Amino acid sequence: MTSSVPASALDLAVAARLKRSADGLLPAIAQQYDTGEVLMLGWMDDEALHRTLTTGRCTYWSRSRQEYWVKGDTSGHVQHVKSVALDCDADTVLVKVDQVGAACHTGARTCFDADVLFDADAVSLGE
């Protein structure tokens, strides 16, 4: 990726609102639509967002491989898009999905359950 935004079929009104990082990307949080479970974080540029909005499947930009990837194409762990929203600053995308199988590349349901740094339910706070 370069700092310039590549040509995309993304609606120009949507593209004009986005606040991208220096490399043209937005963080995209995938959340299970019916439970609220946070599944993973990926990265999207304008084209990945366009593909996500028009295909009903999450498309991300791989920063390590420098290519687009559709969640589930190789693993079978598909993300069916239910809704897409921008945060209040238009610098993060929330994609509510119906996750089939694991969301994490490790095979876990979510990327956020293996390394818990703090859990208020497990800590006695001044009792």
Side-chain angles (χ1 to χ4, degrees):
M1 299 281 326
T2 63
S3 59
S4 64
V5 177
S8 171
L10 183 64
D11 181 276
L12 293 176
V14 173
R17 295 175 57 202
L18 301 179
K19 295 179 185 167
R20 302 162 196 84
S21 65
D23 54 2
L25 299 174
L26 293 166
I29 301 165
Q31 180 182 38
Q32 179 63 33
Y33 82 100
D34 54 353
T35 66
E37 179 182 29
V38 176
L39 301 168
M40 61 172 277
L41 178 125
W43 296 92
M44 292 184 180
D45 65 1
D46 287 25
E47 183 59 21
L49 180 56
H50 167 71
R51 292 179 189 187
T52 298
L53 292 170
T54 58
T55 66
R57 297 266 312 277
C58 282
T59 300
Y60 299 99
W61 175 258
S62 171
R63 295 179 303 165
S64 60
R65 294 187 314 265
Q66 296 289 294
E67 65 185 17
Y68 295 104
W69 57 281
V70 179
K71 182 69 176 167
D73 270 2
T74 57
S75 67
H77 300 162
V78 177
Q79 292 177 340
H80 297 285
V81 176
K82 296 295 187 176
S83 69
V84 180
L86 286 174
D87 76 336
C88 58
D89 295 321
D91 64 0
T92 303
V93 178
L94 176 64
V95 186
K96 292 188 179 181
V97 301
D98 188 9
Q99 177 70 48
V100 176
C104 186
H105 72 281
T106 65
R109 169 76 180 161
T110 171
C111 294
F112 297 101
D113 64 354
D115 196 7
V116 177
L117 300 177
F118 176 79
D119 183 349
D121 292 334
V123 176
S124 173
L125 299 175
E127 293 179 2

